[in-house]
Amino acid sequence: MDRIFYPKSIVVVGVSESPKNLGRNIVENLLRFGFQGELNLVGKDGSELHGKPIYRSIDDVPGVPDLAVLLIPAKAILSCLEDCGRKGIQRAVVESGGFSEYSDDAENLERDIRQVAAKYGLRFVGPNCISVMNLDNGLVLPFVLMEPEITRKGGVSLISQSGGVLVNSVNLFSCENLGFSKFVSIGNKLNLDENDFLEYLDGDENTRIIGMYLESISNGRRLVSLAQKIRKPVVVLKSNRFPASNEVAKFHTAALAQDDRVCNAAFKQAGIHRVDTLADMITYTKVFRMPLPQGPNLGVIGRSGGQNVISADAVTSRGFQMLPFSDATLESARKRSRAGVIRMTNPLDLGDIFDLDFYVDVLESVLRDSRMHGVLLQHGYGGPEERETTYKMIESVKELSFRYQKPVILTIITSREDWFELRNASDFPVFPEAGPALEALAAALRHYRRIEGMARDN
Amino acid sequence: MDRIFYPKSIVVVGVSESPKNLGRNIVENLLRFGFQGELNLVGKDGSELHGKPIYRSIDDVPGVPDLAVLLIPAKAILSCLEDCGRKGIQRAVVESGGFSEYSDDAENLERDIRQVAAKYGLRFVGPNCISVMNLDNGLVLPFVLMEPEITRKGGVSLISQSGGVLVNSVNLFSCENLGFSKFVSIGNKLNLDENDFLEYLDGDENTRIIGMYLESISNGRRLVSLAQKIRKPVVVLKSNRFPASNEVAKFHTAALAQDDRVCNAAFKQAGIHRVDTLADMITYTKVFRMPLPQGPNLGVIGRSGGQNVISADAVTSRGFQMLPFSDATLESARKRSRAGVIRMTNPLDLGDIFDLDFYVDVLESVLRDSRMHGVLLQHGYGGPEERETTYKMIESVKELSFRYQKPVILTIITSREDWFELRNASDFPVFPEAGPALEALAAALRHYRRIEGMARDN
């Protein structure tokens, strides 16, 4: 699998000089993201691109590339894979569409392709996918242009049965200052499927969180048995839940319908966290970047009394509890606050106090309390006056969360001028509101307990 | 009630020259938002502010102001209201805290205040609130500074039992380019309560949608009987659902616990739309700005196949249906598309087509189909190439939605560079994803059916 994500040399098949040629985008992406491996180009019309020769045939490519990337008409794929196999190329990415997602007649073609691959021991991604990205080495193979400023490097890896969802994820993750390690769009998964990549990413040291978008499950039994052994959080968005959805999924990735209740049960058994939307996927990813909660006791601190009431509902409805604060916390809060201004309850209303250092002090005293497993800290500001102190506070919250190894759900509501800026201020996650973050925190608590169970069983 | 929202003259009590004085913020807000009425200031230390005299007593104020705004210590409120009443002032806003939300001993004080108000026929908002804003005339009375660039004018009015939630709403609404007509933060609602304002806003021609944040319901029977007669959408976020929440709600606005199931039943009976989060409140508000759906049949058009599958789940799970497209729609789509590139299913995958005019054509042919009650149109782009065509498309979508009087849920995923910009491109709502918008659309369909029922009954 390293030959797919870390190839020393690749060949892109289906490249031409034409401005309309999609293969050019693959080459452009590799240049933009600084891929350092050897790059060979193949296209039936020959010529050259970016000073590199376009060979007319795979046979003409010098040496044996680790990976072939194919973006040619579906009917040409079979002979191209035959060429690859004969040359000794053992890994390929088939980006082309036009297979069983498009026509029922493609079944024979797909069978033949499988046979050729088996004959040469050739493993491939796709077909019908925008393929693979590895931001660790700049291997960016989609046929749509990707933007390096938006596509950031980080600890999340994604397996997606849809290219569009993957592209949307890039935009959405970038809005949250989240980064990726690897992506793979698996398309019709004729050869390599989600399980193969799940297994690989579990062993990949740059991947800390695994996200999946699936329209069908290739081998539920293997998925469950794999996932049960994985300690990294696995978050899955599985669509295609209804007959009406299956009509379109079939045409999209040739995905068949599966009983949604069976999926749910399998995910639960496997310790996989299921979400319904990309937004939830992102919220889960943000929560899983923090230390896991080791229990249900949360301190809630907020600057708006109303927000505290809403949060108390959100905390309680997700099974978390708000123990009264310890005497030590109350004492430290009293010392710093003007006498009698705040009520020493959990949730704690800091509405009258404008000193953000004080918030951090209270936060630390709650985190220091061994009975407490995490904190929900809710902040909000409008004008630019509190911008810098807020950015500083985010850094302090991050430091404390990791020092005490307890999660701090930090929500900040501000104006659009600062909305994304404050998400740039740190790689510590900032949430717009408590509810969805607490939903994810409940998943993180389940995750902690499962991991603890694994430790005990060993 | 017009004397509260459209006073010809007001007096702000509790103003001083001191930079720490919160009353100054009220004056500053009135200047920032261009309030044109007569403005009088009262403060025990006298002097002047912005060239206006600060009278030492209400008695010294010339004439009889329509509205008194009080921000003085709780213990001074009683005699101040007495002064107001004696002078003939009949409307007041009591922003001061320190009442039953703060101390059980405040009961006597509150009783006395009620008696004074009753004696003079004086009606008041609060206490313990950041009070009233009317963006139609610049009457902006909160004691926190509000930003005119953020606080936009529009068709939503909010009644909130929390000042902080109101301030957060201003920021969140501004991010969505949503505007307000009126706000009122009702605090401990000793005299005027949510029902009084609900009744007023129902008759207010600048208010098209009414939002409420409540921690307690003052008079459920009156709320239900009022709301049942209201045709405008009423969206309520009612918190304080659990005993753990009530601890903090009591200290926040002296709100008592109420059975949450009873609340749910009452809201349902009244045709009030209940939401759990501010984010949902905003989504509902955006959907209610469009024409109401008159039935459950939706056309789904998207540029990502995966997104279409997720959307098909979201549509189906909210009770909507995806009828096959009509021959007319298919014919018009075929004419414009390259032969055989797209599959003519509902959902329709436009992934291979980069011409946004084509999306608009297909949209129009679906809206023209009398069997169809609305459309979900999902778009996404990354780089700047499609920025201008996307902005133009939003305007076309708006025009078609209103021309055919059918809602179009338009989702757009893009990079952070364009995220807020595209929300400025038009006052037509843009959503980040389909799920929550469809949840709100289901509420809009219930709303349509209720309004239809009212029409039949009359």
Side-chain angles (χ1 to χ4, degrees):
Chain A
M1 200 65 104
D2 266 345
R3 273 179 288 182
I4 291 177
F5 287 104
Y6 293 94
K8 291 199 185 63
S9 56
I10 65 178
V11 53
V12 182
V13 184
V15 177
S16 89
E17 281 186 305
S18 158
K20 282 188 175 170
N21 174 255
L22 288 175
R24 284 177 69 124
N25 288 348
I26 302 176
V27 179
E28 175 68 26
N29 279 330
L30 289 163
L31 296 173
R32 284 183 178 189
F33 285 83
F35 176 65
Q36 296 292 319
E38 197 184 309
L39 171 59
N40 300 284
L41 311 181
V42 169
K44 63 182 172 34
D45 298 327
S47 186
E48 59 170 53
L49 190 67
H50 292 294
K52 283 184 186 297
I54 302 176
Y55 300 108
R56 283 178 196 273
S57 146
I58 288 182
D59 297 334
D60 300 339
V61 173
V64 181
D66 285 337
L67 179 70
V69 182
L70 278 46
L71 185 56
I72 53 178
K75 60 185 192 306
I77 290 292
L78 185 65
S79 73
C80 186
L81 283 177
E82 182 81 44
D83 291 347
C84 288
R86 222 175 31 238
K87 194 179 175 74
I89 297 175
Q90 294 203 298
R91 297 291 179 270
V93 175
V94 183
E95 305 199 7
S96 324
F99 293 85
S100 52
E101 86 284 2
Y102 182 72
S103 153
D104 292 339
D105 308 338
E107 263 181 43
N108 291 340
L109 176 58
E110 292 191 348
R111 189 201 54 215
D112 293 346
I113 287 175
R114 281 186 216 254
Q115 283 176 354
V116 166
K119 181 166 79 175
Y120 292 107
L122 193 157
R123 308 297 311 267
F124 65 92
V125 186
N128 184 32
C129 69
I130 65 163
S131 81
V132 170
M133 290 200 266
N134 180 1
L135 297 179
D136 296 329
N137 64 352
L139 182 86
V140 174
L141 299 176
F143 57 81
V144 293
L145 285 175
M146 306 301 297
E147 310 283 341
E149 314 85 69
I150 292 174
T151 319
R152 293 152 201 237
K153 207 163 143 174
V156 183
S157 288
L158 280 188
I159 302 165
S160 173
Q161 202 166 342
S162 156
V165 166
L166 212 154
V167 171
N168 284 338
S169 304
V170 171
N171 277 318
L172 291 172
F173 274 61
S174 128
C175 288
E176 296 290 341
N177 197 22
L178 287 172
F180 297 96
S181 175
K182 296 170 183 66
F183 290 85
V184 55
S185 127
I186 53 181
N188 295 9
K189 46 186 180 180
L190 265 193
N191 184 283
L192 290 165
D193 68 16
E194 64 270 22
N195 291 326
D196 299 308
F197 292 104
L198 183 62
E199 189 169 27
Y200 175 74
L201 292 174
D202 182 33
D204 175 48
E205 60 177 17
N206 293 321
T207 298
R208 289 174 45 216
I209 300 163
I210 302 167
M212 299 174 102
Y213 169 71
L214 296 177
E215 293 176 4
S216 64
I217 290 173
S218 290
N219 181 339
R221 217 174 284 266
R222 184 164 169 233
L223 177 64
V224 170
S225 92
L226 269 174
Q228 278 178 330
K229 287 179 236 140
I230 295 180
R231 288 162 169 276
K232 296 177 183 177
V234 179
V235 184
V236 173
L237 171 52
K238 162 72 176 64
S239 68
N240 188 10
R241 294 167 48 205
F242 300 100
S245 318
N246 188 241
E247 261 315 286
V248 57
K250 210 169 68 188
F251 292 138
H252 181 230
T253 56
L256 299 177
Q258 285 154 328
D259 189 320
D260 203 51
R261 285 163 308 177
V262 175
C263 283
N264 260 340
F267 291 151
K268 201 169 170 187
Q269 198 192 341
I272 289 174
H273 307 285
R274 184 174 193 175
V275 293
D276 285 334
T277 65
L278 267 185
D280 285 342
M281 168 88 80
I282 286 165
T283 303
Y284 275 58
T285 303
K286 287 162 75 177
V287 166
F288 275 117
R289 297 178 78 199
M290 291 189 275
L292 295 172
Q294 306 197 359
N297 296 328
L298 297 185
V300 178
I301 306 167
R303 131 173 268 184
S304 150
Q307 209 175 20
N308 273 348
V309 182
I310 299 172
S311 300
D313 285 346
V315 162
T316 308
S317 69
R318 269 89 180 180
F320 292 103
Q321 289 158 26
M322 295 167 291
L323 290 184
F325 287 124
S326 70
D327 290 342
T329 297
L330 300 183
E331 191 48 41
S332 107
R334 271 202 205 93
K335 245 189 262 170
R336 287 288 304 261
S337 73
R338 289 172 289 168
V341 179
I342 58 173
R343 284 219 169 243
M344 298 299 171
T345 52
N346 184 8
L348 187 64
D349 184 354
L350 295 180
D352 292 331
I353 296 172
F354 294 88
D355 174 9
L356 300 194
D357 289 342
F358 178 72
Y359 294 21
V360 173
D361 283 354
V362 174
L363 172 65
E364 175 159 16
S365 69
V366 177
L367 291 173
R368 205 186 283 128
D369 181 348
S370 61
R371 304 166 309 146
M372 290 290 186
H373 303 112
V375 170
L376 169 63
L377 176 61
Q378 302 204 267
H379 179 49
Y381 67 100
E385 302 82 12
E386 288 194 312
R387 181 177 293 154
E388 292 306 322
T389 49
T390 295
Y391 294 175
K392 202 176 131 235
M393 184 181 79
I394 300 173
E395 272 308 312
S396 305
V397 171
K398 176 186 174 182
E399 194 273 316
L400 290 173
S401 170
F402 283 93
R403 178 161 17 124
Y404 290 96
Q405 283 294 302
K406 295 177 182 180
V408 179
I409 303 289
L410 174 62
T411 77
I412 306 183
I413 289 178
T414 186
S415 66
R416 61 163 77 188
E417 280 67 33
D418 264 23
W419 195 267
F420 291 129
E421 271 315 304
L422 75 85
R423 283 161 172 75
N424 270 357
S426 165
D427 59 352
F428 195 74
V430 170
F431 299 88
E433 58 176 350
L438 289 165
E439 192 75 41
L441 194 68
L445 178 54
R446 289 195 297 277
H447 196 77
Y448 169 77
R449 286 174 172 156
R450 185 172 77 84
I451 302 294
E452 278 299 284
M454 288 166 77
R456 272 197 309 276
D457 295 346
N458 289 331
Chain B
M1 201 64 107
D2 266 344
R3 273 179 287 182
I4 290 178
F5 287 105
Y6 292 95
K8 293 198 183 63
S9 57
I10 65 177
V11 53
V12 182
V13 184
V15 177
S16 88
E17 279 187 307
S18 158
K20 284 188 174 167
N21 174 254
L22 289 175
R24 283 177 71 124
N25 288 347
I26 301 176
V27 179
E28 176 68 26
N29 279 330
L30 289 164
L31 296 174
R32 285 183 178 189
F33 285 83
F35 176 66
Q36 295 293 319
E38 196 185 310
L39 171 59
N40 301 284
L41 311 180
V42 169
K44 64 181 169 37
D45 297 328
S47 186
E48 60 171 54
L49 190 67
H50 293 293
K52 283 184 186 298
I54 302 176
Y55 301 108
R56 283 177 196 274
S57 146
I58 288 183
D59 297 333
D60 300 339
V61 173
V64 180
D66 284 338
L67 180 69
V69 182
L70 276 46
L71 186 55
I72 53 178
K75 62 185 190 309
I77 290 292
L78 185 65
S79 72
C80 186
L81 283 177
E82 181 81 46
D83 291 347
C84 289
R86 223 176 30 236
K87 195 178 173 72
I89 298 174
Q90 293 202 298
R91 297 292 179 268
V93 174
V94 183
E95 304 200 7
S96 324
F99 292 86
S100 53
E101 88 284 3
Y102 182 71
S103 152
D104 292 339
D105 308 338
E107 264 182 42
N108 291 340
L109 175 58
E110 293 192 347
R111 190 201 53 216
D112 294 346
I113 286 175
R114 280 187 217 254
Q115 282 176 354
V116 166
K119 182 166 79 179
Y120 292 106
L122 194 157
R123 307 297 311 266
F124 66 92
V125 187
N128 184 33
C129 70
I130 65 164
S131 79
V132 171
M133 290 201 266
N134 180 1
L135 297 180
D136 296 329
N137 64 351
L139 182 87
V140 175
L141 299 177
F143 57 82
V144 294
L145 286 175
M146 306 301 297
E147 310 283 340
E149 314 85 68
I150 292 174
T151 318
R152 293 152 202 237
K153 208 163 142 174
V156 183
S157 288
L158 280 187
I159 301 165
S160 174
Q161 203 167 341
S162 156
V165 165
L166 211 155
V167 171
N168 284 338
S169 305
V170 170
N171 277 317
L172 291 172
F173 274 60
S174 130
C175 288
E176 295 291 340
N177 197 21
L178 288 172
F180 296 97
S181 175
K182 296 171 184 66
F183 290 85
V184 53
S185 126
I186 52 180
N188 295 9
K189 46 186 179 178
L190 265 193
N191 184 282
L192 290 165
D193 68 16
E194 63 270 22
N195 291 326
D196 300 308
F197 292 105
L198 183 62
E199 190 170 25
Y200 174 74
L201 293 173
D202 182 33
D204 175 49
E205 61 177 14
N206 293 319
T207 298
R208 289 174 45 215
I209 300 163
I210 301 168
M212 298 173 103
Y213 169 71
L214 297 177
E215 293 177 4
S216 64
I217 289 174
S218 290
N219 181 341
R221 218 175 282 267
R222 185 165 169 232
L223 177 64
V224 169
S225 92
L226 269 175
Q228 277 179 330
K229 287 178 238 142
I230 296 180
R231 287 162 169 277
K232 297 177 182 177
V234 179
V235 183
V236 173
L237 172 51
K238 162 71 176 64
S239 68
N240 188 10
R241 294 167 47 206
F242 301 99
S245 318
N246 187 240
E247 262 313 286
V248 57
K250 210 170 67 187
F251 293 139
H252 181 230
T253 55
L256 299 177
Q258 284 153 328
D259 189 320
D260 204 49
R261 285 163 307 179
V262 175
C263 284
N264 260 340
F267 291 150
K268 201 168 169 187
Q269 197 192 342
I272 289 174
H273 307 285
R274 185 175 191 172
V275 294
D276 284 334
T277 66
L278 267 184
D280 286 342
M281 167 88 78
I282 286 164
T283 304
Y284 275 57
T285 303
K286 286 161 76 177
V287 166
F288 274 117
R289 296 178 79 198
M290 291 189 275
L292 295 172
Q294 304 197 359
N297 296 329
L298 297 185
V300 179
I301 306 167
R303 135 173 265 186
S304 150
Q307 209 175 20
N308 272 348
V309 181
I310 298 173
S311 300
D313 285 346
V315 163
T316 309
S317 68
R318 268 90 180 180
F320 292 102
Q321 288 159 26
M322 294 166 291
L323 290 184
F325 287 124
S326 70
D327 289 343
T329 297
L330 299 182
E331 193 46 44
S332 107
R334 269 201 207 93
K335 244 189 263 170
R336 287 286 306 258
S337 73
R338 291 171 290 170
V341 179
I342 57 172
R343 283 216 169 245
M344 298 298 172
T345 52
N346 184 9
L348 187 64
D349 184 354
L350 296 179
D352 291 332
I353 297 171
F354 292 90
D355 174 9
L356 299 194
D357 289 341
F358 178 72
Y359 295 19
V360 173
D361 283 355
V362 174
L363 172 65
E364 175 160 14
S365 69
V366 178
L367 291 174
R368 205 186 284 129
D369 182 347
S370 61
R371 305 166 309 144
M372 291 290 187
H373 303 111
V375 169
L376 168 65
L377 176 61
Q378 303 204 266
H379 179 51
Y381 67 100
E385 302 82 13
E386 287 194 312
R387 181 177 294 153
E388 293 306 322
T389 49
T390 295
Y391 294 176
K392 201 176 131 235
M393 184 181 79
I394 299 173
E395 272 309 312
S396 306
V397 171
K398 176 185 172 181
E399 194 272 316
L400 290 173
S401 170
F402 284 93
R403 178 163 15 126
Y404 290 96
Q405 283 294 303
K406 296 178 182 180
V408 180
I409 302 288
L410 174 63
T411 76
I412 305 183
I413 289 178
T414 185
S415 67
R416 61 163 78 187
E417 281 67 33
D418 264 22
W419 195 267
F420 291 128
E421 271 315 304
L422 75 85
R423 284 161 172 74
N424 270 355
S426 166
D427 60 352
F428 195 73
V430 170
F431 299 88
E433 57 178 349
L438 290 165
E439 192 74 42
L441 194 68
L445 177 54
R446 288 195 298 276
H447 196 76
Y448 169 77
R449 287 174 171 156
R450 185 173 77 84
I451 301 295
E452 278 299 286
M454 286 166 78
R456 273 197 308 277
D457 294 346
N458 289 332

